[in-house]
Amino acid sequence: MNTVSAPELIDPRPIYLGATTWVTTLLRSVRNDQHALPTPCDEYNVKTLSSRLIGTVGRIIAIAELGSADSVSPIASEHDADTFARLADRAQKAWADDALLDKPVVAPWGESPGRVALWGYTNEALVHGWDLAVATGQPAEADPALVEPTATMQRHILPPAIRVPGVPFSVFIDPRAEAGPTERLANWSGRSSISWI
């Protein structure tokens, strides 16, 4: 099992809270007639992407409470904003103990300190939030105060030397000159802005 060492001792919990608050706002604005729309994440339409967002919160709760995400499906059966918001609140409570940040846990990509797992799921919330926003015609830029530290930590945790295309992201996409921080983070995760922005 690969072990990822903890990066700088930055607490990701406030950033994760902000990311999930932003995603809750996006989910509340999704209309029923948008569920079948495609998204920049080729695997999902709007409805299944919404279920994926809920599933990721369930997995970060399981990591805090059980030490592993294995018992929770990455795709939830629900796709609504209220379920996401309820689980996001539970996740904040599950991660309240500071000791969890440096405790070894098992994320889907391997063993790492808790804070690294939480940074990974913060990145997932922001990138899938961007996917959801552009697919449904909502403002797609989260607060840069959330995005910029997440981007910094992702590049620290997964430097180019160890990043393999498709694991866990697609090939890096060069951002547009006018791309904002969230779009750039999505491009770094392999999302193309072409035809979406």
Side-chain angles (χ1 to χ4, degrees):
M1 185 176 301
N2 294 331
T3 301
V4 181
S5 59
E8 294 93 329
L9 299 180
I10 298 173
D11 187 344
R13 293 173 295 186
I15 309 297
Y16 183 72
L17 173 61
T20 56
T21 299
W22 179 60
V23 169
T24 299
T25 301
L26 295 173
L27 285 168
R28 291 199 190 286
S29 296
V30 173
R31 303 187 313 268
N32 288 339
D33 65 349
Q34 294 178 315
H35 286 166
L37 292 176
T39 73
C41 186
D42 294 339
E43 298 175 61
Y44 306 114
N45 62 21
V46 167
K47 183 176 180 179
T48 54
L49 178 65
S50 301
S51 296
R52 169 72 183 197
L53 282 159
I54 292 170
T56 62
V57 182
R59 296 194 113 191
I60 201 63
I61 292 168
I63 287 172
E65 295 178 348
L66 305 173
S68 169
D70 291 346
S71 63
V72 176
S73 171
I75 309 292
S77 57
E78 303 91 346
H79 61 271
D80 61 290
D82 288 343
T83 299
F84 182 87
R86 177 177 51 78
L87 288 175
D89 181 64
R90 183 176 160 197
Q92 288 298 313
K93 293 171 182 168
W95 283 87
D97 183 356
D98 292 346
L100 284 173
L101 295 177
D102 298 308
K103 180 180 177 181
V105 299
V106 179
W109 55 85
E111 185 176 295
S112 69
R115 76 176 68 242
V116 173
L118 196 49
W119 277 118
Y121 280 99
T122 302
N123 179 74
E124 188 151 357
L126 291 169
V127 172
H128 279 320
W130 182 86
D131 292 332
L132 182 67
V134 297
T136 56
Q138 300 185 60
E141 284 296 322
D143 184 345
L146 305 174
V147 180
E148 288 166 359
T150 303
T152 297
M153 299 311 291
Q154 285 301 109
R155 286 171 174 80
H156 182 92
I157 294 164
L158 281 172
I162 67 168
R163 182 169 165 180
V164 177
V167 183
F169 308 119
S170 298
V171 177
F172 173 82
I173 303 292
D174 286 323
R176 306 178 302 143
E178 62 271 35
T182 312
E183 183 180 341
R184 287 176 178 274
L185 182 65
N187 296 152
W188 186 81
S189 296
R191 302 294 196 274
S192 174
S193 304
I194 296 170
S195 81
W196 294 103
I197 301 297

